[in-house]
Amino acid sequence: MNLGIEGKWALVCAASKGLGKGCAQALVEEGVHVVITARGAEALQATAAELRALNPAVQVRAVAGDITTPEGRAAALAACPQVDILVNNAGGPPPGDFRDWTRDDWIKAVDANMLAPIELIKATIDGMAERGFGRIVNITSGAVKAPIDVLGLSNGARSGLTGFVAGLARQVRVASRNVTINNLLPGVFDTDRVRGMAKGTAAKTGQSVDEIVAGRAAGLPARRLGTAAEFGATCAFLCSAQAGYLTGQNVLIDGGSYPGTF
Ligand code: NAD
C-alpha cells in the first residue's frame, strides 16, 4: 500500500534507537523527510546515516539535544521546514515505589512524558490545520490501559497526556482540518530500554539478560517480544493519508498481552 505521504516532513523525537528509530525507518521508507533527535550525538549520527542509506531520495536531519527541554525542542523545530508529521517520544521514567519518589521525580516524569509532547503539539498543530494535513502520534505505553505497579511515574504522566489529547483530537478546528492525533501503546518490545531493565534484574538474580528476556517472552501470548520494525509500520500507517478518519485513539500493540475485550 502506498501511504500517500511521500515528500512530507516528519519530526521524530528520541529516534536514535528503539521504537522512535523504528518509526523513523518506516517513514523514510515511505519517502518522508525526517528530523530525528536524541541526546547522544554519536548514536544519532549513526542512525541518520542508516536512514539515508535506506532511502537516498529523502532528507534526513539529525539534531542532538534533550527533547524534554525548551532548548532541545526549539532546535528540533528549527531544523524542520514544516512539521506535517510529529512523533512524540522520550525516554520512560524509572521504576520504583511511589513512597520513595520526591516532587522532583514527578516533575521530571511529567515534563518528559506529558508536557514535552504537549509543547511540541502546541508549536505545530495550528500550522498543520492551516495546511489541511497533520498526523500526530504519541508513543505512550500499554501501562496507560493496564497500569504496571512499579512504573507509577509512567502510569501517571502518560495518562495525563492521554486525557489531554483525547480532548484536543476532538476539537472541530483540528479534526475538520485533516489533523489526527493518536497514541501508540507498546507492550513489550525488544529494545535497549527493555534489555537495560533486564540487566538490572540479571544483576539481582544471577540469570543472563537473554534468559530474562526469554522469560518475559514466555509470559506473552505471542511468545515473543515485538520488534521496532512492527511498531514503526503501525506508526507509519497512523500517519498515512488513508488514516485521516482515525483520530483520538489509543492503539495497543502488544502481541495479545492486554487481557480485556476492549
Ligand atoms: P530505548 O531506550 O531503546 O530508546 C530511547 C531513545 O530515546 C534513544 O534514541 C534515546 O537516545 C532517546 N531519548 C531518550 N530520552 C530522550 C530525551 N530526553 N531527548 C531526546 N532523546 C531521548 O527506548 P524504547 O524502548 O524505544 O522506548 C521508547 C519509549 O517507549 C519510552 O518512553 C519507553 O518507556 C516507552 N515504552 C517502551 C516499551 C518497550 O517495550 N520498549 C514498552 C512500553 C513503553
Side-chain angles (χ1 to χ4, degrees):
M1 190 196 284
N2 179 336
L3 299 185
I5 47 178
E6 192 179 336
K8 302 279 189 206
W9 272 93
L11 170 55
V12 187
C13 305
S16 68
K17 297 180 191 165
L19 304 180
K21 180 178 175 182
C23 295
Q25 283 172 326
L27 291 169
V28 160
E29 280 172 349
E30 285 299 316
V32 175
H33 306 298
V34 293
V35 173
I36 56 169
T37 84
R39 282 174 303 192
E42 206 177 315
L44 184 66
Q45 289 302 341
T47 297
E50 275 181 50
L51 294 174
R52 288 183 193 113
L54 199 57
N55 187 349
V58 306
Q59 293 191 52
V60 176
R61 297 181 184 173
V63 180
D66 186 338
I67 204 68
T68 68
T69 65
E71 300 76 28
R73 289 190 290 275
L77 289 167
C80 203
Q82 70 182 44
V83 181
D84 304 306
I85 293 168
L86 170 65
V87 180
N88 274 316
N89 187 28
D97 184 326
F98 94 97
R99 291 166 189 83
D100 301 325
W101 293 331
T102 63
R103 179 178 162 76
D104 275 356
D105 294 324
W106 275 106
I107 299 289
K108 255 187 223 157
V110 168
D111 250 347
N113 300 112
M114 178 181 173
L115 299 179
I118 291 173
E119 287 293 330
L120 285 170
I121 292 171
K122 185 177 167 189
T124 56
I125 196 167
D126 290 340
M128 292 176 179
E130 270 165 35
R131 294 189 297 273
F133 179 93
R135 299 287 183 265
I136 299 170
V137 176
N138 302 305
I139 299 180
T140 64
S141 171
V144 171
K145 240 178 123 89
I148 301 168
D149 178 27
V150 294
L151 291 178
L153 290 168
S154 172
N155 299 338
R158 295 188 200 277
S159 295
L161 174 67
T162 303
F164 169 74
V165 300
L168 182 61
R170 290 163 176 84
Q171 282 186 359
V172 172
R173 62 194 278 200
V174 173
S176 72
R177 296 295 305 153
N178 190 23
V179 177
T180 69
I181 314 177
N182 293 291
N183 305 312
L184 203 40
L185 284 55
V188 190
F189 280 76
D190 196 351
T191 65
D192 279 11
R193 172 174 165 88
V194 164
R195 286 191 173 262
M197 284 170 123
K199 223 185 225 174
T201 314
K204 284 184 208 145
T205 63
Q207 287 172 290
S208 72
V209 169
D210 282 342
E211 280 169 338
I212 288 160
V213 170
R216 287 201 77 176
L220 306 173
R223 294 290 188 268
R224 67 174 179 87
L225 273 53
T227 68
E230 290 170 315
F231 192 86
T234 310
C235 174
F237 177 72
L238 290 176
C239 297
S240 70
Q242 290 89 338
Y245 210 52
L246 200 175
T247 195
Q249 300 303 304
N250 289 285
V251 179
L252 198 53
I253 170 164
D254 71 350
S257 298
Y258 175 71
T261 305
F262 299 105

